[in-house]
Amino acid sequence: MTAELVRGQNHTLPQTRLEIRVSAGTPVVAGVTLGDERGTVRGAEWIAHPGSHRLPGLEVSRQAAADHRLAVDLDALPDAVHRVTVLLALPTGAGRPVRFGAVAAPFVAVTGLDGTEIATFTLTGLDTESAVSALELYRRQGVWKVRAVGQGYASGLAEMLADQGVADAAELAASIQQAVASGLARSVAPPPPRAPDGERVRHPAGPAPSGGAGQPPGRPAPEPLGDSTPQPPATAPGGPIDYAHPRRQTSAPPPPPPAAPPSEPGRPAQPVAGDATGWSMDERLYNQVWDMFQDLARAVAAYRSAVDFAESRMDQELDRALSDPRSRIGGTGDRVREEARAKRDDLTARAREVLDRDLAQLAAESAVVEPALPASYAGWDNPVWHGYRVPMEIPMALRIGDLHLPERTDLRIPLLVRLPLERGIWVDSGRTASEAAAATDGDQLRRLGMETAVALAARLLAVYPANEFSVHVIDPAGSAAAALSPLVDSGALSGPPAAGAAGVSSVLAHLTRRVDLVQMALRAGAADSLPPDLDPGEQLLIVNDFPHGFDDRAVTQLRYLADEGPSVGVHLLMVADREEARAYGPVLDPLWRSLLRITPVADDHLADPWVGQAWTYEPLRVPQGSRVLEEVLALVAAARRAGYR
C-alpha cells in the first residue's frame, strides 16, 4: 500500500534499490546530495547533479526536464553516508519561471524497480522559492526510511547547498545551472503532448511481465535475472509522452491500426508502419518515429546502467573480500577475483542479450517504417522523391538528419523537427572533436557545411506549398557560389545571394522590418493591415561564413532575428565556425544557444530529451551521381513562377 506523506512524515523503506520519480509540469533540475551522520555534505564529490550525474549508488538526469527518474541503490552508497536528499530547482534563463508558486506543485514518488509506489509526496504551499529539498532517505539503527521535507529556498540552489554545509555553494550552484543551460541547448526538443489515449501500443503474442526501471515503454520487460541481476535504472524523464497535432482539436486521436498477426504462435506480432495514434498516416508515422527514438534511448540507457552496475558491484565485492587478511593466504584472493569477474561477465552478457532483443525489434520496425515515410520525413535516397509533387499544405515535420548510438550504428532514427520551425539551425563548420571532423580539413568542412545548409533549404522549399516559403542568402565574400548553385540555377531563391557589407545590411534590414511589422500587427489585432509588399510566407535566411562581413549593427540585427523571428515566420540557417567569432566574446553566447546545432559530418553532440545521452548526428546526403535535388528544385521553381502569374 502506498504511503501518501505530508511534510515531516516518514515511512520505512522495504527495499534498498529504488527509483525516485519526479513530475513537475515544467522543466526542473533534479539532484541528490549525500550527508553524513550530522547531515553534512562533505564536498562536491557527494553531490549528483546534471554536470556530474553519477555517483556510486546514484544516477540522476543530465538535463532539466518536467519528469525525472532517479536511480538509487542504498547498499552501494559509501558507508559514511547516512542521508540522501533529493533537490529540485528551477533552471535559470530568460522566459523561465522564477518561483515554484507560479508552476504546478511538484510530485515525488519513491518506487520499486517495477514501478510500484512505496511513498509519495506532493510539494504544496511553495511560493517565492526557486529551489526545494523535496525528500530525504535516511538510515537510523540500520534501517532506511524516507521523510517528506518540502523545505524551500527563495534564494535558490546556492542557499539550499549552503544550508547543507557545502563550501563554495554559490560557485557550485552557478556551475550546475551552466551545465543545465548547456544541456538544454544541445537537447533535441521533445515533441508536443499527445492525448492520454495516444500512448505507444504494442501487440504481444501473449502476456508479458510488467516493465522494470528503464524499460522502453510498451515493450515486454526483460526476463527476471535473479536478485543480483542489475536492474538498469532509467535516469531521466519518464512516463507517457504526448504528441498533439497543433492544428487539431484536443480530443483523443483515433487508435493505431491493429498489428499484423504473428507469423508463428508465441512470437510477437510483426511490426507495421503507422503503429501509433494519429489523425492521418503522416501523423501516425511521425508519432511512431518518435516512439522508436524513445524506445532506443531507454533500451540503451538500461543496458549501459546494467553494465555500470555490474562493474560497481564487482568492485565492491573485491574491496570487501580483499580487505580481509585471510583472503591473502594461498590462492583465495585469485579465486575471489575470478568469481567476481565471472559474475560481472555473466550479468553483462545477459544485459546484452536483452538489449540485442530490443535492438532487433527496433531494426525490424525501422525496416518497414522507412519505405512508408512521406517525402518530408524521408531521406534523399527514398524513392518517394522520384514521384515528388509540390504539396498543397504544410506537413507536420521535416527530417533534417539521422541519429544513432554506438551499440548499433546501422539502426538510424530520423531526426524530425516540427514545422513551422521553432528555432533556427546552426551548421557548425568548425573542427569539432569527432573523428570525422578531425579527418577533414578546414576548407572541406566549410564547403560541406554550406552543402548541408543548401540541402536543408531545398527540403524546406520542397515541403511547403508554392510561394509559402522563401529563401534569402547572405554570402559576404561570395565563397559559397559552388555550393549555392542548385538554389541559384533553379531560380528557387527570392533573389541573388547578398555579398559585401551593403548586401548584408540590405537583407538584414528587409527581414528585420518584416519582423517588426508583423509583431506590431499581431499586437494590434490587425493582421490584415500589413503592407501589400510584405511577403506573408515563411522566410529562411542562410548566412554563410559568419561573422565575416558583419559589423556590430549587423550582429545585433542577426541576434534579433534569432530571438524574435521564429514566432513571426523568419528563420535562421547559419553556417559558422564559433572559434572565428571568438572576438565577440560572450555577447554571442545567447545566439549559439538559441540555435539547434548540427554538423556537416558525423558528430555525437546531440542529446535525447529522455535520458540525455549523446547521439551521433549525420546530415542527409544526396546519393552520389543523383540529380534528385536539382529535379525537386526545378519543380519548386516552376510552381513558384506559375503562382505569380
Side-chain angles (χ1 to χ4, degrees), residues 307-341:
V307 172
D308 289 344
F309 182 83
E311 291 282 353
S312 175
R313 278 302 175 97
M314 180 189 72
D315 292 341
Q316 292 176 42
E317 289 178 3
L318 289 176
D319 288 344
R320 284 195 296 266
L322 299 181
S323 63
D324 184 351
R326 290 172 296 180
S327 65
R328 302 168 193 167
I329 301 174
T332 303
D334 292 338
R335 186 169 62 254
V336 167
R337 291 187 186 91
E338 291 176 2
E339 290 174 353
R341 289 168 183 157

PDB file of all heavy atoms in Angstrom, residues 307-341:
ATOM      1  N   VAL A 307      25.457  -2.459 -17.180  1.00  0.00           N
ATOM      2  CA  VAL A 307      26.898  -2.715 -17.242  1.00  0.00           C
ATOM      3  C   VAL A 307      27.623  -1.956 -16.129  1.00  0.00           C
ATOM      4  O   VAL A 307      28.492  -2.505 -15.441  1.00  0.00           O
ATOM      5  CB  VAL A 307      27.447  -2.321 -18.625  1.00  0.00           C
ATOM      6  CG1 VAL A 307      28.973  -2.389 -18.642  1.00  0.00           C
ATOM      7  CG2 VAL A 307      26.876  -3.235 -19.700  1.00  0.00           C
ATOM      8  N   ASP A 308      27.269  -0.693 -15.949  1.00  0.00           N
ATOM      9  CA  ASP A 308      27.902   0.096 -14.887  1.00  0.00           C
ATOM     10  C   ASP A 308      27.620  -0.503 -13.514  1.00  0.00           C
ATOM     11  O   ASP A 308      28.500  -0.544 -12.648  1.00  0.00           O
ATOM     12  CB  ASP A 308      27.388   1.537 -14.931  1.00  0.00           C
ATOM     13  CG  ASP A 308      27.908   2.299 -16.134  1.00  0.00           C
ATOM     14  OD1 ASP A 308      28.884   1.827 -16.749  1.00  0.00           O
ATOM     15  OD2 ASP A 308      27.327   3.344 -16.479  1.00  0.00           O
ATOM     16  N   PHE A 309      26.379  -0.966 -13.339  1.00  0.00           N
ATOM     17  CA  PHE A 309      26.018  -1.553 -12.051  1.00  0.00           C
ATOM     18  C   PHE A 309      26.822  -2.825 -11.805  1.00  0.00           C
ATOM     19  O   PHE A 309      27.306  -3.072 -10.694  1.00  0.00           O
ATOM     20  CB  PHE A 309      24.530  -1.846 -12.015  1.00  0.00           C
ATOM     21  CG  PHE A 309      24.056  -2.407 -10.706  1.00  0.00           C
ATOM     22  CD1 PHE A 309      23.765  -1.571  -9.650  1.00  0.00           C
ATOM     23  CD2 PHE A 309      23.911  -3.778 -10.531  1.00  0.00           C
ATOM     24  CE1 PHE A 309      23.333  -2.083  -8.433  1.00  0.00           C
ATOM     25  CE2 PHE A 309      23.481  -4.295  -9.326  1.00  0.00           C
ATOM     26  CZ  PHE A 309      23.189  -3.448  -8.273  1.00  0.00           C
ATOM     27  N   ALA A 310      26.973  -3.652 -12.845  1.00  0.00           N
ATOM     28  CA  ALA A 310      27.741  -4.886 -12.695  1.00  0.00           C
ATOM     29  C   ALA A 310      29.197  -4.586 -12.349  1.00  0.00           C
ATOM     30  O   ALA A 310      29.804  -5.252 -11.500  1.00  0.00           O
ATOM     31  CB  ALA A 310      27.652  -5.713 -13.978  1.00  0.00           C
ATOM     32  N   GLU A 311      29.773  -3.573 -12.990  1.00  0.00           N
ATOM     33  CA  GLU A 311      31.154  -3.186 -12.681  1.00  0.00           C
ATOM     34  C   GLU A 311      31.263  -2.689 -11.243  1.00  0.00           C
ATOM     35  O   GLU A 311      32.212  -3.023 -10.523  1.00  0.00           O
ATOM     36  CB  GLU A 311      31.605  -2.087 -13.651  1.00  0.00           C
ATOM     37  CG  GLU A 311      31.791  -2.536 -15.087  1.00  0.00           C
ATOM     38  CD  GLU A 311      33.094  -3.279 -15.299  1.00  0.00           C
ATOM     39  OE1 GLU A 311      33.912  -3.321 -14.355  1.00  0.00           O
ATOM     40  OE2 GLU A 311      33.294  -3.827 -16.401  1.00  0.00           O
ATOM     41  N   SER A 312      30.291  -1.861 -10.829  1.00  0.00           N
ATOM     42  CA  SER A 312      30.324  -1.317  -9.474  1.00  0.00           C
ATOM     43  C   SER A 312      30.209  -2.423  -8.436  1.00  0.00           C
ATOM     44  O   SER A 312      30.940  -2.434  -7.432  1.00  0.00           O
ATOM     45  CB  SER A 312      29.185  -0.301  -9.304  1.00  0.00           C
ATOM     46  OG  SER A 312      29.113   0.154  -7.973  1.00  0.00           O
ATOM     47  N   ARG A 313      29.290  -3.364  -8.669  1.00  0.00           N
ATOM     48  CA  ARG A 313      29.137  -4.472  -7.713  1.00  0.00           C
ATOM     49  C   ARG A 313      30.399  -5.330  -7.652  1.00  0.00           C
ATOM     50  O   ARG A 313      30.797  -5.790  -6.580  1.00  0.00           O
ATOM     51  CB  ARG A 313      27.929  -5.319  -8.112  1.00  0.00           C
ATOM     52  CG  ARG A 313      26.601  -4.751  -7.626  1.00  0.00           C
ATOM     53  CD  ARG A 313      26.628  -4.615  -6.117  1.00  0.00           C
ATOM     54  NE  ARG A 313      25.460  -3.969  -5.567  1.00  0.00           N
ATOM     55  CZ  ARG A 313      24.415  -4.602  -5.063  1.00  0.00           C
ATOM     56  NH1 ARG A 313      24.385  -5.913  -5.067  1.00  0.00           N
ATOM     57  NH2 ARG A 313      23.405  -3.931  -4.563  1.00  0.00           N
ATOM     58  N   MET A 314      31.043  -5.548  -8.792  1.00  0.00           N
ATOM     59  CA  MET A 314      32.275  -6.331  -8.785  1.00  0.00           C
ATOM     60  C   MET A 314      33.351  -5.628  -7.955  1.00  0.00           C
ATOM     61  O   MET A 314      34.045  -6.256  -7.136  1.00  0.00           O
ATOM     62  CB  MET A 314      32.782  -6.538 -10.208  1.00  0.00           C
ATOM     63  CG  MET A 314      34.072  -7.352 -10.287  1.00  0.00           C
ATOM     64  SD  MET A 314      34.812  -7.383 -11.928  1.00  0.00           S
ATOM     65  CE  MET A 314      35.425  -5.691 -12.026  1.00  0.00           C
ATOM     66  N   ASP A 315      33.476  -4.301  -8.141  1.00  0.00           N
ATOM     67  CA  ASP A 315      34.479  -3.557  -7.373  1.00  0.00           C
ATOM     68  C   ASP A 315      34.194  -3.635  -5.882  1.00  0.00           C
ATOM     69  O   ASP A 315      35.120  -3.789  -5.064  1.00  0.00           O
ATOM     70  CB  ASP A 315      34.497  -2.096  -7.828  1.00  0.00           C
ATOM     71  CG  ASP A 315      35.025  -1.940  -9.249  1.00  0.00           C
ATOM     72  OD1 ASP A 315      35.695  -2.868  -9.728  1.00  0.00           O
ATOM     73  OD2 ASP A 315      34.762  -0.887  -9.863  1.00  0.00           O
ATOM     74  N   GLN A 316      32.917  -3.530  -5.511  1.00  0.00           N
ATOM     75  CA  GLN A 316      32.573  -3.596  -4.082  1.00  0.00           C
ATOM     76  C   GLN A 316      32.871  -4.972  -3.505  1.00  0.00           C
ATOM     77  O   GLN A 316      33.399  -5.093  -2.392  1.00  0.00           O
ATOM     78  CB  GLN A 316      31.095  -3.256  -3.899  1.00  0.00           C
ATOM     79  CG  GLN A 316      30.744  -1.814  -4.198  1.00  0.00           C
ATOM     80  CD  GLN A 316      29.255  -1.575  -4.099  1.00  0.00           C
ATOM     81  OE1 GLN A 316      28.596  -2.059  -3.189  1.00  0.00           O
ATOM     82  NE2 GLN A 316      28.717  -0.833  -5.036  1.00  0.00           N
ATOM     83  N   GLU A 317      32.522  -6.021  -4.247  1.00  0.00           N
ATOM     84  CA  GLU A 317      32.786  -7.375  -3.757  1.00  0.00           C
ATOM     85  C   GLU A 317      34.287  -7.612  -3.592  1.00  0.00           C
ATOM     86  O   GLU A 317      34.723  -8.223  -2.610  1.00  0.00           O
ATOM     87  CB  GLU A 317      32.187  -8.393  -4.725  1.00  0.00           C
ATOM     88  CG  GLU A 317      30.658  -8.430  -4.704  1.00  0.00           C
ATOM     89  CD  GLU A 317      30.106  -9.419  -5.729  1.00  0.00           C
ATOM     90  OE1 GLU A 317      30.925 -10.097  -6.383  1.00  0.00           O
ATOM     91  OE2 GLU A 317      28.873  -9.490  -5.869  1.00  0.00           O
ATOM     92  N   LEU A 318      35.080  -7.104  -4.544  1.00  0.00           N
ATOM     93  CA  LEU A 318      36.528  -7.275  -4.439  1.00  0.00           C
ATOM     94  C   LEU A 318      37.085  -6.497  -3.255  1.00  0.00           C
ATOM     95  O   LEU A 318      37.949  -7.001  -2.520  1.00  0.00           O
ATOM     96  CB  LEU A 318      37.198  -6.818  -5.742  1.00  0.00           C
ATOM     97  CG  LEU A 318      36.986  -7.720  -6.956  1.00  0.00           C
ATOM     98  CD1 LEU A 318      37.617  -7.100  -8.202  1.00  0.00           C
ATOM     99  CD2 LEU A 318      37.589  -9.105  -6.710  1.00  0.00           C
ATOM    100  N   ASP A 319      36.587  -5.276  -3.055  1.00  0.00           N
ATOM    101  CA  ASP A 319      37.078  -4.475  -1.931  1.00  0.00           C
ATOM    102  C   ASP A 319      36.769  -5.159  -0.598  1.00  0.00           C
ATOM    103  O   ASP A 319      37.624  -5.213   0.301  1.00  0.00           O
ATOM    104  CB  ASP A 319      36.433  -3.085  -1.953  1.00  0.00           C
ATOM    105  CG  ASP A 319      36.980  -2.220  -3.076  1.00  0.00           C
ATOM    106  OD1 ASP A 319      38.045  -2.574  -3.613  1.00  0.00           O
ATOM    107  OD2 ASP A 319      36.332  -1.211  -3.412  1.00  0.00           O
ATOM    108  N   ARG A 320      35.533  -5.674  -0.468  1.00  0.00           N
ATOM    109  CA  ARG A 320      35.160  -6.318   0.790  1.00  0.00           C
ATOM    110  C   ARG A 320      35.960  -7.600   1.018  1.00  0.00           C
ATOM    111  O   ARG A 320      36.425  -7.870   2.126  1.00  0.00           O
ATOM    112  CB  ARG A 320      33.664  -6.626   0.800  1.00  0.00           C
ATOM    113  CG  ARG A 320      32.785  -5.414   1.054  1.00  0.00           C
ATOM    114  CD  ARG A 320      31.366  -5.833   1.412  1.00  0.00           C
ATOM    115  NE  ARG A 320      30.713  -6.534   0.311  1.00  0.00           N
ATOM    116  CZ  ARG A 320      29.941  -5.935  -0.592  1.00  0.00           C
ATOM    117  NH1 ARG A 320      29.739  -4.628  -0.529  1.00  0.00           N
ATOM    118  NH2 ARG A 320      29.361  -6.626  -1.550  1.00  0.00           N
ATOM    119  N   ALA A 321      36.104  -8.373  -0.050  1.00  0.00           N
ATOM    120  CA  ALA A 321      36.779  -9.663   0.108  1.00  0.00           C
ATOM    121  C   ALA A 321      38.270  -9.495   0.371  1.00  0.00           C
ATOM    122  O   ALA A 321      38.847 -10.152   1.247  1.00  0.00           O
ATOM    123  CB  ALA A 321      36.556 -10.515  -1.140  1.00  0.00           C
ATOM    124  N   LEU A 322      38.895  -8.589  -0.385  1.00  0.00           N
ATOM    125  CA  LEU A 322      40.347  -8.460  -0.271  1.00  0.00           C
ATOM    126  C   LEU A 322      40.776  -7.637   0.936  1.00  0.00           C
ATOM    127  O   LEU A 322      41.961  -7.571   1.255  1.00  0.00           O
ATOM    128  CB  LEU A 322      40.906  -7.837  -1.556  1.00  0.00           C
ATOM    129  CG  LEU A 322      40.657  -8.668  -2.825  1.00  0.00           C
ATOM    130  CD1 LEU A 322      41.260  -7.985  -4.033  1.00  0.00           C
ATOM    131  CD2 LEU A 322      41.246 -10.077  -2.670  1.00  0.00           C
ATOM    132  N   SER A 323      39.801  -6.961   1.595  1.00  0.00           N
ATOM    133  CA  SER A 323      40.154  -6.247   2.830  1.00  0.00           C
ATOM    134  C   SER A 323      40.331  -7.216   4.002  1.00  0.00           C
ATOM    135  O   SER A 323      40.865  -6.839   5.048  1.00  0.00           O
ATOM    136  CB  SER A 323      39.064  -5.223   3.174  1.00  0.00           C
ATOM    137  OG  SER A 323      37.826  -5.882   3.434  1.00  0.00           O
ATOM    138  N   ASP A 324      39.882  -8.447   3.817  1.00  0.00           N
ATOM    139  CA  ASP A 324      40.037  -9.482   4.845  1.00  0.00           C
ATOM    140  C   ASP A 324      41.434 -10.099   4.696  1.00  0.00           C
ATOM    141  O   ASP A 324      41.751 -10.662   3.642  1.00  0.00           O
ATOM    142  CB  ASP A 324      38.961 -10.547   4.671  1.00  0.00           C
ATOM    143  CG  ASP A 324      39.004 -11.600   5.767  1.00  0.00           C
ATOM    144  OD1 ASP A 324      39.976 -11.600   6.556  1.00  0.00           O
ATOM    145  OD2 ASP A 324      38.064 -12.411   5.832  1.00  0.00           O
ATOM    146  N   PRO A 325      42.300 -10.008   5.699  1.00  0.00           N
ATOM    147  CA  PRO A 325      43.666 -10.559   5.574  1.00  0.00           C
ATOM    148  C   PRO A 325      43.690 -12.035   5.210  1.00  0.00           C
ATOM    149  O   PRO A 325      44.634 -12.508   4.579  1.00  0.00           O
ATOM    150  CB  PRO A 325      44.273 -10.312   6.973  1.00  0.00           C
ATOM    151  CG  PRO A 325      43.469  -9.173   7.534  1.00  0.00           C
ATOM    152  CD  PRO A 325      42.080  -9.357   6.987  1.00  0.00           C
ATOM    153  N   ARG A 326      42.634 -12.770   5.582  1.00  0.00           N
ATOM    154  CA  ARG A 326      42.626 -14.204   5.285  1.00  0.00           C
ATOM    155  C   ARG A 326      42.582 -14.484   3.789  1.00  0.00           C
ATOM    156  O   ARG A 326      42.992 -15.543   3.332  1.00  0.00           O
ATOM    157  CB  ARG A 326      41.430 -14.858   5.973  1.00  0.00           C
ATOM    158  CG  ARG A 326      41.547 -14.916   7.508  1.00  0.00           C
ATOM    159  CD  ARG A 326      40.262 -15.387   8.139  1.00  0.00           C
ATOM    160  NE  ARG A 326      39.167 -14.461   7.898  1.00  0.00           N
ATOM    161  CZ  ARG A 326      37.926 -14.635   8.340  1.00  0.00           C
ATOM    162  NH1 ARG A 326      37.636 -15.719   9.062  1.00  0.00           N
ATOM    163  NH2 ARG A 326      37.001 -13.739   8.078  1.00  0.00           N
ATOM    164  N   SER A 327      42.043 -13.495   3.015  1.00  0.00           N
ATOM    165  CA  SER A 327      41.951 -13.719   1.572  1.00  0.00           C
ATOM    166  C   SER A 327      43.308 -13.640   0.885  1.00  0.00           C
ATOM    167  O   SER A 327      43.421 -13.977  -0.291  1.00  0.00           O
ATOM    168  CB  SER A 327      41.011 -12.685   0.950  1.00  0.00           C
ATOM    169  OG  SER A 327      41.559 -11.376   1.077  1.00  0.00           O
ATOM    170  N   ARG A 328      44.325 -13.186   1.620  1.00  0.00           N
ATOM    171  CA  ARG A 328      45.657 -13.060   1.027  1.00  0.00           C
ATOM    172  C   ARG A 328      46.476 -14.336   1.179  1.00  0.00           C
ATOM    173  O   ARG A 328      47.623 -14.402   0.753  1.00  0.00           O
ATOM    174  CB  ARG A 328      46.402 -11.897   1.685  1.00  0.00           C
ATOM    175  CG  ARG A 328      45.657 -10.572   1.549  1.00  0.00           C
ATOM    176  CD  ARG A 328      46.256  -9.502   2.438  1.00  0.00           C
ATOM    177  NE  ARG A 328      45.376  -8.334   2.534  1.00  0.00           N
ATOM    178  CZ  ARG A 328      45.514  -7.359   3.421  1.00  0.00           C
ATOM    179  NH1 ARG A 328      46.524  -7.421   4.291  1.00  0.00           N
ATOM    180  NH2 ARG A 328      44.671  -6.344   3.446  1.00  0.00           N
ATOM    181  N   ILE A 329      45.861 -15.343   1.823  1.00  0.00           N
ATOM    182  CA  ILE A 329      46.571 -16.595   2.058  1.00  0.00           C
ATOM    183  C   ILE A 329      46.274 -17.554   0.910  1.00  0.00           C
ATOM    184  O   ILE A 329      45.114 -17.752   0.524  1.00  0.00           O
ATOM    185  CB  ILE A 329      46.143 -17.227   3.396  1.00  0.00           C
ATOM    186  CG1 ILE A 329      46.431 -16.256   4.549  1.00  0.00           C
ATOM    187  CG2 ILE A 329      46.845 -18.553   3.620  1.00  0.00           C
ATOM    188  CD1 ILE A 329      45.901 -16.724   5.892  1.00  0.00           C
ATOM    189  N   GLY A 330      47.329 -18.150   0.379  1.00  0.00           N
ATOM    190  CA  GLY A 330      47.154 -19.114  -0.700  1.00  0.00           C
ATOM    191  C   GLY A 330      46.552 -18.472  -1.943  1.00  0.00           C
ATOM    192  O   GLY A 330      46.851 -17.334  -2.306  1.00  0.00           O
ATOM    193  N   GLY A 331      45.649 -19.205  -2.569  1.00  0.00           N
ATOM    194  CA  GLY A 331      45.028 -18.701  -3.796  1.00  0.00           C
ATOM    195  C   GLY A 331      43.655 -18.117  -3.575  1.00  0.00           C
ATOM    196  O   GLY A 331      42.890 -17.966  -4.538  1.00  0.00           O
ATOM    197  N   THR A 332      43.308 -17.791  -2.323  1.00  0.00           N
ATOM    198  CA  THR A 332      41.967 -17.279  -2.034  1.00  0.00           C
ATOM    199  C   THR A 332      41.694 -15.989  -2.782  1.00  0.00           C
ATOM    200  O   THR A 332      40.615 -15.794  -3.356  1.00  0.00           O
ATOM    201  CB  THR A 332      41.803 -17.046  -0.526  1.00  0.00           C
ATOM    202  OG1 THR A 332      42.071 -18.262   0.176  1.00  0.00           O
ATOM    203  CG2 THR A 332      40.397 -16.564  -0.207  1.00  0.00           C
ATOM    204  N   GLY A 333      42.661 -15.066  -2.778  1.00  0.00           N
ATOM    205  CA  GLY A 333      42.462 -13.790  -3.458  1.00  0.00           C
ATOM    206  C   GLY A 333      42.219 -13.963  -4.937  1.00  0.00           C
ATOM    207  O   GLY A 333      41.321 -13.322  -5.518  1.00  0.00           O
ATOM    208  N   ASP A 334      42.997 -14.841  -5.571  1.00  0.00           N
ATOM    209  CA  ASP A 334      42.803 -15.069  -7.007  1.00  0.00           C
ATOM    210  C   ASP A 334      41.437 -15.675  -7.288  1.00  0.00           C
ATOM    211  O   ASP A 334      40.769 -15.323  -8.276  1.00  0.00           O
ATOM    212  CB  ASP A 334      43.899 -16.000  -7.542  1.00  0.00           C
ATOM    213  CG  ASP A 334      45.274 -15.341  -7.514  1.00  0.00           C
ATOM    214  OD1 ASP A 334      45.322 -14.091  -7.501  1.00  0.00           O
ATOM    215  OD2 ASP A 334      46.278 -16.074  -7.501  1.00  0.00           O
ATOM    216  N   ARG A 335      41.009 -16.592  -6.422  1.00  0.00           N
ATOM    217  CA  ARG A 335      39.706 -17.225  -6.617  1.00  0.00           C
ATOM    218  C   ARG A 335      38.575 -16.198  -6.469  1.00  0.00           C
ATOM    219  O   ARG A 335      37.605 -16.204  -7.222  1.00  0.00           O
ATOM    220  CB  ARG A 335      39.521 -18.372  -5.622  1.00  0.00           C
ATOM    221  CG  ARG A 335      38.239 -19.168  -5.859  1.00  0.00           C
ATOM    222  CD  ARG A 335      38.220 -20.435  -5.032  1.00  0.00           C
ATOM    223  NE  ARG A 335      38.261 -20.160  -3.604  1.00  0.00           N
ATOM    224  CZ  ARG A 335      39.328 -20.346  -2.826  1.00  0.00           C
ATOM    225  NH1 ARG A 335      40.444 -20.834  -3.346  1.00  0.00           N
ATOM    226  NH2 ARG A 335      39.287 -20.053  -1.525  1.00  0.00           N
ATOM    227  N   VAL A 336      38.712 -15.289  -5.499  1.00  0.00           N
ATOM    228  CA  VAL A 336      37.700 -14.247  -5.308  1.00  0.00           C
ATOM    229  C   VAL A 336      37.618 -13.353  -6.546  1.00  0.00           C
ATOM    230  O   VAL A 336      36.526 -13.005  -7.006  1.00  0.00           O
ATOM    231  CB  VAL A 336      38.021 -13.421  -4.047  1.00  0.00           C
ATOM    232  CG1 VAL A 336      37.184 -12.142  -4.010  1.00  0.00           C
ATOM    233  CG2 VAL A 336      37.780 -14.247  -2.798  1.00  0.00           C
ATOM    234  N   ARG A 337      38.780 -12.971  -7.074  1.00  0.00           N
ATOM    235  CA  ARG A 337      38.786 -12.126  -8.272  1.00  0.00           C
ATOM    236  C   ARG A 337      38.111 -12.829  -9.442  1.00  0.00           C
ATOM    237  O   ARG A 337      37.314 -12.232 -10.171  1.00  0.00           O
ATOM    238  CB  ARG A 337      40.217 -11.754  -8.644  1.00  0.00           C
ATOM    239  CG  ARG A 337      40.899 -10.809  -7.674  1.00  0.00           C
ATOM    240  CD  ARG A 337      42.250 -10.357  -8.206  1.00  0.00           C
ATOM    241  NE  ARG A 337      42.977  -9.573  -7.234  1.00  0.00           N
ATOM    242  CZ  ARG A 337      43.832 -10.075  -6.348  1.00  0.00           C
ATOM    243  NH1 ARG A 337      44.056 -11.400  -6.329  1.00  0.00           N
ATOM    244  NH2 ARG A 337      44.449  -9.293  -5.495  1.00  0.00           N
ATOM    245  N   GLU A 338      38.440 -14.093  -9.642  1.00  0.00           N
ATOM    246  CA  GLU A 338      37.854 -14.835 -10.758  1.00  0.00           C
ATOM    247  C   GLU A 338      36.341 -14.947 -10.613  1.00  0.00           C
ATOM    248  O   GLU A 338      35.593 -14.785 -11.590  1.00  0.00           O
ATOM    249  CB  GLU A 338      38.491 -16.224 -10.848  1.00  0.00           C
ATOM    250  CG  GLU A 338      39.953 -16.200 -11.289  1.00  0.00           C
ATOM    251  CD  GLU A 338      40.576 -17.588 -11.273  1.00  0.00           C
ATOM    252  OE1 GLU A 338      39.838 -18.545 -10.962  1.00  0.00           O
ATOM    253  OE2 GLU A 338      41.779 -17.710 -11.559  1.00  0.00           O
ATOM    254  N   GLU A 339      35.870 -15.213  -9.391  1.00  0.00           N
ATOM    255  CA  GLU A 339      34.431 -15.354  -9.178  1.00  0.00           C
ATOM    256  C   GLU A 339      33.709 -14.022  -9.409  1.00  0.00           C
ATOM    257  O   GLU A 339      32.636 -13.983 -10.018  1.00  0.00           O
ATOM    258  CB  GLU A 339      34.161 -15.859  -7.757  1.00  0.00           C
ATOM    259  CG  GLU A 339      34.590 -17.304  -7.533  1.00  0.00           C
ATOM    260  CD  GLU A 339      34.437 -17.727  -6.081  1.00  0.00           C
ATOM    261  OE1 GLU A 339      34.130 -16.845  -5.238  1.00  0.00           O
ATOM    262  OE2 GLU A 339      34.636 -18.931  -5.777  1.00  0.00           O
ATOM    263  N   ALA A 340      34.301 -12.932  -8.914  1.00  0.00           N
ATOM    264  CA  ALA A 340      33.669 -11.621  -9.090  1.00  0.00           C
ATOM    265  C   ALA A 340      33.614 -11.238 -10.569  1.00  0.00           C
ATOM    266  O   ALA A 340      32.604 -10.712 -11.056  1.00  0.00           O
ATOM    267  CB  ALA A 340      34.424 -10.563  -8.294  1.00  0.00           C
ATOM    268  N   ARG A 341      34.712 -11.502 -11.297  1.00  0.00           N
ATOM    269  CA  ARG A 341      34.726 -11.163 -12.719  1.00  0.00           C
ATOM    270  C   ARG A 341      33.772 -12.047 -13.514  1.00  0.00           C
ATOM    271  O   ARG A 341      33.126 -11.583 -14.452  1.00  0.00           O
ATOM    272  CB  ARG A 341      36.149 -11.283 -13.260  1.00  0.00           C
ATOM    273  CG  ARG A 341      37.067 -10.174 -12.755  1.00  0.00           C
ATOM    274  CD  ARG A 341      38.516 -10.447 -13.061  1.00  0.00           C
ATOM    275  NE  ARG A 341      39.373  -9.403 -12.509  1.00  0.00           N
ATOM    276  CZ  ARG A 341      40.653  -9.572 -12.238  1.00  0.00           C
ATOM    277  NH1 ARG A 341      41.244 -10.752 -12.455  1.00  0.00           N
ATOM    278  NH2 ARG A 341      41.374  -8.564 -11.748  1.00  0.00           N
TER     279      ARG A 341
END
